[in-house]
Amino acid sequence: MAETDSILVAQAPVPKDWIMAIAPYVPGKSKTDDGRAVAKLSSNENPFGTSQAARDAFISAAECLERYPDAAAAELREALGAHYGIEPERIIYGTGSDEVLHLAAGAFAGPGDEIIYSRFGFSVYPIATRRVGATPVVAPDKEYATDVDAILARVTERTRLVFIANPNNPTGSYSTREDIARLHAGLPRHVLLVLDQAYTEYLGPDEDDGGLELARTQSNVLVTRTFSKIFGLAAERIGWGYASPEIIAAMHRIRAPFSFGIGAQRAAIAALADRAFVAHSYAHNRHWRDWFEKEIAALGNKGLRAVPSRANFSLVLFEGETSAETAYKGLMDAGYIVRWLPGQELPHGLRITIGTAEQMTGLVAALRKIVGAEA
């Protein structure tokens, strides 16, 4: 290294310690290690893409590419309010629900504060926590699910937020309305409960965790949702949150003014209105998720089991002779990319998105061969 290079390195700005402690987010792969494009079941995307109405609405925005989008996203918030029966003025939007999660941490926590989330929770939670200099507090899980008592036992005077994904990613586990109500009741009023409901549309009609009602009536609850999953608009990064006016006002102070474009807003409004597409996606997912988990149960003698899921994926645990890494590589060779999770303390787990009928039957056939259980 030249002397001038050494001087430049020595004078370079030094990042904050808490920034350097962040483990960067690792997305699901879209190609194999050798560059082949195969069936992508690693990112929990809708196998049917998105609604044709949403596509048409997105294309219609080509006529106004020179225009800034509405910074208030007024039409989208009005559509959300009408669809869910909530007040549009209490809705905030962001670049995916990820940004809304970051806004919550940024508005209500900082150095010296603590943020609690469950072990095996969404990997954005520790990033959002450390990004603002707060201390992450990890509550033990209960058989790969959220343990309400473990979370409440870790609340201190320094706790500012609790992050809960329901259904949870990457485990697919679900906390009932009673669980969520008990968790909220046990939290001090200064603690913000953030209910991340990215997969809520995959729940059955009798599986409402009561989050929107809590956010409507309580001053310390924020619900976040996304258009990336069942609505099939992951490319456009459209997320939103709903909370009390005080919570939303604080988050607006640090929100980017133009999180997504005019086409994205039009597509989201159209996708929200296409109930038939959502119903079809839900029914397909419910059928093939149940089928897949039964197929995994049939491989129990090979050390495989699926954590019961309420989302559009299943977490398959490998507790026998075949390791998750071996299965991951074998499935990739067979033409299926899934999500191996050693970075989330799940080196024995594969998170597998529920895909098309052809993808699911093909993947199971390949998996049976990998573990030595050919028919």
Side-chain angles (χ1 to χ4, degrees), residues 64-73 93 257-265:
C64 48
L65 293 178
E66 77 283 6
R67 301 294 185 188
Y68 283 104
D70 173 17
Y93 72 84
F258 305 110
S259 293
F260 44 76
I262 295 172
Q265 294 188 50

Side-chain angles (χ1 to χ4, degrees), residues 196-321:
D196 175 359
Q197 297 184 340
Y199 298 91
T200 194
E201 290 84 8
Y202 291 105
L203 294 172
D206 59 342
E207 294 178 311
D208 176 12
D209 68 6
L212 283 179
E213 183 60 26
L214 273 178
R216 176 185 292 111
T217 59
Q218 304 297 323
S219 62
N220 64 332
V221 178
L222 167 68
V223 168
T224 67
R225 293 195 178 181
T226 182
F227 281 86
S228 296
K229 304 306 176 184
I230 206 167
F231 296 106
L233 289 171
E236 296 311 302
R237 312 302 300 122
I238 311 161
W240 58 279
Y242 173 70
S244 66
E246 296 79 9
I247 297 297
I248 296 301
M251 294 168 65
H252 268 306
R253 291 175 178 271
I254 57 173
R255 176 181 61 79
F258 305 110
S259 293
F260 44 76
I262 295 172
Q265 294 188 50
R266 290 183 181 180
I269 293 169
L272 198 64
D274 194 341
R275 295 176 185 268
F277 177 83
V278 172
H280 174 65
S281 298
Y282 166 81
H284 171 90
N285 182 77
R286 182 68 177 262
H287 173 80
W288 285 101
R289 186 187 65 204
D290 292 350
W291 176 87
F292 180 63
E293 292 188 352
K294 288 178 182 176
E295 292 293 316
I296 296 300
L299 296 174
N301 62 334
K302 296 296 182 179
L304 275 63
R305 66 183 176 105
V307 176
S309 175
R310 293 295 183 272
N312 68 333
F313 59 85
S314 286
L315 178 65
V316 179
L317 305 177
F318 291 76
E319 300 169 328
E321 293 184 5

Side-chain angles (χ1 to χ4, degrees), residues 85 134 141 145 156 160 199 235 290 331 341 344 358:
D141 63 295
T156 72
R160 293 295 176 266
Y199 298 91
D290 292 350
L331 287 172
L341 300 163
Q344 290 184 251
E358 180 182 9

Side-chain angles (χ1 to χ4, degrees), residues 142-157:
K142 189 174 184 179
E143 279 299 304
Y144 298 94
T146 299
D147 187 332
V148 170
D149 293 320
I151 291 173
L152 292 176
R154 282 155 181 78
V155 174
T156 72
E157 69 278 1

